[in-house]
Amino acid sequence: MYRVALTAGLVIGLSGCSLGSSSISSGFADQETTSSLSSPPLKTESVGLGGDPAAPRQVKVAKLDDKAPSGTFERAAPGVLSDRDYSHTSLNAEMARDVINAYRKKHGLKALKLNPELTEAAKAHSRDLAKWDRISHYGSDGSNPWDRVKRAGYNARLTAENVGTGQVDFNEVMRGWEESPGHNKNLLTPDAEHMGIALVQDPKTEFKSFWTLVVGSPM
């Protein structure tokens, strides 16, 4: 049972922000929700989390250094992915870019270029998810995707984030994103120009692999 976070996408333009699988206000939304707001985006208190709908939500009690809002993340049940082989799990960013661009080309959309700032934002979030062994669009410091992109030095006009945990390879996480309406919407963001992607692995965690994709367009 791997998980795919139902996009924290920020699609921000002059008129504001509409996101992901369930559209997300400032990168966060419940399923079946659509919202928009003017820039700069505002934080909200909810996030759509994907995965097995039959699985119970497990909310971790915050530690002193954990500023993620309560109820905005999920954790894996002990041992749930212990039978999967992650010994060959890796990420080739150029290959992932090419796979995403081939998918976008099928839908008549322009190719994305790898961007170092968005890559750093993706890496920072995957590291944070691995540290806390959870899936979320909130960082443990309370940050949302917009915060992390800005912090990495990318002056975004729009940005969107997809997250996945537990997948063995990029093809698996890509399939999950394509099959999820919200993630798919972010993959096919028409005005996106750049992307960053990251994978962090930690065999000591229950989720094992932590994938983050960030797409964006600069001001």
Side-chain angles (χ1 to χ4, degrees):
M1 179 197 72
Y2 61 83
R3 301 238 171 174
V4 174
L6 280 181
T7 73
L10 301 179
V11 179
I12 308 280
L14 294 179
S15 62
C17 152
S18 65
L19 316 200
S21 119
S22 18
S23 286
I24 303 170
S25 170
S26 176
F28 308 94
D30 294 320
Q31 298 179 17
E32 310 297 329
T33 301
T34 301
S35 60
S36 62
L37 49 86
S38 58
S39 186
L42 303 175
K43 292 184 180 180
T44 65
E45 296 297 323
S46 61
V47 61
L49 293 170
D52 180 358
R57 170 169 292 197
Q58 300 182 37
V59 177
K60 181 178 179 180
V61 176
K63 295 184 179 179
L64 291 178
D65 57 345
D66 184 7
K67 299 179 176 62
S70 177
T72 62
F73 50 84
E74 288 187 11
R75 304 182 71 202
V80 69
L81 297 175
S82 60
D83 61 343
R84 305 199 82 196
D85 181 7
Y86 293 88
S87 61
H88 300 291
T89 301
S90 63
L91 172 64
N92 180 320
E94 288 76 17
M95 181 275 288
R97 173 203 60 200
D98 292 346
V99 169
I100 290 171
N101 283 340
Y103 184 61
R104 286 174 61 87
K105 184 176 181 180
K106 282 171 35 178
H107 291 82
L109 300 175
K110 62 187 176 186
L112 304 178
K113 298 177 182 178
L114 285 169
N115 175 272
E117 289 81 19
L118 294 185
T119 297
E120 182 54 39
K123 286 180 179 178
H125 193 48
S126 283
R127 291 188 195 108
D128 191 59
L129 294 180
K131 176 183 177 181
W132 292 89
D133 196 5
R134 64 192 184 197
I135 185 168
S136 180
H137 290 296
Y138 278 98
S140 61
D141 61 355
S143 64
N144 63 41
W146 183 271
D147 296 328
R148 293 187 290 273
V149 166
K150 183 178 180 181
R151 184 184 300 161
Y154 189 87
N155 188 18
R157 176 173 60 84
L158 67 83
T159 185
E161 179 184 88
N162 283 359
V163 178
T165 53
Q167 294 85 356
V168 169
D169 55 34
F170 178 72
N171 289 330
E172 185 177 23
V173 74
M174 183 67 178
R175 284 195 303 271
W177 287 342
E178 289 178 19
E179 292 168 1
S180 164
H183 295 90
N184 191 59
K185 182 178 179 180
N186 284 353
L187 291 172
L188 300 178
T189 301
D191 294 334
E193 298 179 23
H194 299 129
M195 62 169 279
I197 190 164
L199 163 67
V200 170
Q201 296 172 256
D202 187 341
K204 300 185 297 298
T205 64
E206 298 296 345
F207 271 131
K208 312 300 182 188
S209 64
F210 302 82
W211 306 78
T212 303
L213 169 69
V214 182
V215 302
S217 182
M219 294 293 285

